[in-house]
Amino acid sequence: QVTLWLKKIYGDMPVPKYEVNERTVDILHEVMEFNEESDRDVSLLIEDMKDRATKYEAEAKYWQDILGESLGLSLGSLSQEAATALNDLVESAMALEVEDTSLTSFYSAINYMSSELFKTKSENREMELKLKTLTEKLTSALMLEKQLDEDIEKIEESQKAENAKAESRSKNLKFLEDKSEDLKIRIRDAQKKLIATGLDQSLTHEALVKASEELAALRKEIEPLKKEVKSYHDLPP
């Protein structure tokens, strides 16, 4: 419904692009209903005026025929001043939609139209306020949509940068792993060559590391013994 209404409003012009979501569609639907309601009111008013004009024209012709045939009165037989006054009276009666041209009818019609005018102005103010509120909601929704698009764009750019950093770190880690593996192979090859030349097994890297660990464990075991011996040293002879 909203899409068809927008195409009808813009005609041959392209409909401006907007984010299709529940919030924007609801706001546009409210604007559409308000617009269609106003169009219906205007159409009904026009049809009513046309019906009244047809009715008054028929009634005017009826009385014109009676006056012309019975009294011999016509616009041609009246003075210019009288014809002008008669036209003003007729136009006023038609504008005020009175049944006759008595002063009572004119005063009643004027009071009624004044009341209707005040009522119409009040309704117009309410409609203008409602339209303003809907416009503000739509503007707010469009601004929010724009802000969300900008935030999404920033997040995507940040994600691309993080992905590039992660890829770089992954490549560096792979290089270091390959380099470490290569060094391990070289060390093993060097140890094999040294062993082949008669090197003592106790001097290999693994043996030295193991001996260092054993030495550290022994030192840890000796530490409390040293403290105990030190306490004896503090005794008098």
Side-chain angles (χ1 to χ4, degrees):
Q1 291 179 352
V2 171
T3 302
L4 293 176
W5 173 70
L6 288 174
K7 290 181 178 178
K8 179 181 176 183
I9 293 295
Y10 284 93
D12 297 333
M13 297 176 62
V15 178
K17 294 183 179 180
Y18 64 95
E19 179 70 18
V20 180
N21 54 50
E22 185 176 356
R23 178 179 172 80
T24 56
V25 171
D26 287 343
I27 294 173
L28 288 173
H29 191 268
E30 289 185 22
V31 177
M32 179 193 71
E33 290 182 341
F34 173 77
N35 184 271
E36 290 180 346
E37 183 179 353
S38 298
D39 290 343
R40 284 194 298 270
D41 292 341
V42 172
S43 298
L44 291 174
L45 181 60
I46 292 174
E47 291 298 324
D48 182 63
M49 294 298 290
K50 287 181 179 179
D51 292 341
R52 289 175 181 271
T54 302
K55 175 184 175 182
Y56 289 141
E57 288 175 358
E59 188 174 355
K61 187 176 183 307
Y62 169 75
W63 285 108
Q64 186 176 1
D65 292 341
I66 291 179
L67 292 173
E69 294 175 359
S70 302
L71 303 176
L73 294 176
S74 65
L75 291 176
S77 63
L78 298 175
S79 64
Q80 183 176 359
E81 184 179 358
T84 301
L86 181 60
N87 286 332
D88 291 340
L89 186 64
V90 171
E91 290 177 0
S92 298
M94 292 183 65
L96 295 173
E97 301 178 357
V98 296
E99 296 294 334
D100 53 52
T101 56
S102 65
L103 287 176
T104 303
S105 296
F106 276 115
Y107 285 143
S108 298
I110 291 172
N111 289 334
Y112 175 75
M113 290 197 71
S114 298
S115 176
E116 287 295 310
L117 178 61
F118 177 78
K119 180 180 178 182
T120 302
K121 287 182 178 180
S122 299
E123 291 177 351
N124 286 340
R125 283 195 293 270
E126 291 179 0
M127 289 182 179
E128 289 175 358
L129 181 60
K130 184 177 181 180
L131 181 60
K132 180 181 178 182
T133 302
L134 292 175
T135 304
E136 290 175 352
K137 287 182 179 180
L138 180 58
T139 302
S140 176
L142 293 175
M143 291 296 293
L144 178 60
E145 174 192 350
K146 182 180 178 181
Q147 184 63 44
L148 289 175
D149 290 339
E150 293 176 355
D151 291 343
I152 291 173
E153 185 177 354
K154 290 179 181 178
I155 292 173
E156 289 178 348
E157 292 177 356
S158 176
Q159 188 64 37
K160 288 180 181 178
E162 289 296 329
N163 290 339
K165 290 181 180 179
E167 184 177 357
S168 176
R169 287 195 293 267
S170 178
K171 290 181 180 179
N172 292 336
L173 180 61
K174 182 67 168 56
F175 172 78
L176 293 175
E177 290 176 349
D178 294 342
K179 190 68 175 177
S180 176
E181 188 64 27
D182 181 61
L183 291 174
K184 289 179 180 179
I185 293 173
R186 290 184 181 184
I187 290 172
R188 283 197 298 269
D189 292 342
Q191 288 178 348
K192 289 180 181 179
K193 290 179 180 180
L194 290 173
I195 292 173
T197 58
L199 178 69
D200 188 356
Q201 289 285 345
S202 62
L203 298 178
T204 62
H205 177 71
E206 288 82 357
L208 292 174
V209 171
K210 184 177 181 181
S212 176
E213 292 175 350
E214 292 176 352
L215 178 60
L218 290 173
R219 285 178 176 175
K220 189 174 182 181
E221 292 178 0
I222 293 173
E223 191 64 28
L225 297 177
K226 285 183 177 181
K227 291 181 179 179
E228 186 177 354
V229 170
K230 184 178 179 181
S231 64
Y232 285 109
H233 289 168
D234 293 336
L235 295 175

